[in-house]
């Protein structure tokens, strides 16, 4: 397993996001998880380099739709919590 760690400073929120590059046949091409400080960590699996290269534009372009899906999920959760709150 090869591990490379890269920290990027996101200007908008001034949040450091950890990027880790690995090579592991048993893991998927990309994983978004939490680091030790509960901040986002992106793991990119070099083992799937051909697939990642082939779909690089689609992967890069999914950020907006991923954000939209997270917003839907959170709005649904907040709506449910609000309904519970109204009936308490």
């Amino acid at each position: 397993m090869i591990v490379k760690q890269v920290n990027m400073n996101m200007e908008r929120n001034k949040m450091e996001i950890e990027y880790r590059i690995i090579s592991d046949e048993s893991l998927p091409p990309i994983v978004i998880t939490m680091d030790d400080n509960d901040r986002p960590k992106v793991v990119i699996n070099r083992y799937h380099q051909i697939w990642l290269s082939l779909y690089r534009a689609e992967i890069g372009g999914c950020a907006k739709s991923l954000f939209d899906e997270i917003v839907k999920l959170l709005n649904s959760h907040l709506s449910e919590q609000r309904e519970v709150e109204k009936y308490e």
Side-chain angles (χ1 to χ4, degrees):
M1 176 189 296
I2 299 170
V3 176
K4 178 182 178 185
Q5 185 172 334
V6 179
N7 289 328
M8 294 189 71
N9 188 351
M10 304 298 290
E11 288 301 319
R12 185 173 158 199
N13 295 327
K14 303 283 183 186
M15 177 188 291
E16 293 246 342
I17 295 180
E18 179 181 344
Y19 287 83
R20 190 163 287 201
I21 298 174
I22 64 167
S23 184
D24 189 329
E25 179 180 2
S26 67
L27 293 176
I30 298 174
V31 176
I32 301 173
T33 188
M34 299 163 283
D35 70 8
D36 295 337
N37 297 314
D38 202 35
R39 290 186 297 245
K41 174 172 75 172
V42 178
V43 179
I44 301 171
N45 191 348
R46 184 181 289 249
Y47 180 82
H48 301 285
Q49 186 169 354
I50 294 172
W51 184 87
L52 288 165
S53 298
L54 184 61
Y55 292 104
R56 64 190 175 275
E58 290 83 356
I59 293 166
C62 75
K64 172 73 169 98
S65 61
L66 176 61
F67 179 78
D68 291 343
E69 290 300 314
I70 292 170
V71 167
K72 286 182 201 175
L73 175 73
L74 295 175
N75 284 343
S76 174
H77 175 72
L78 290 172
S79 294
E80 289 174 15
Q81 293 301 308
R82 179 62 182 140
E83 288 300 314
V84 168
E85 189 178 72
K86 287 185 346 188
Y87 290 107
E88 288 183 342

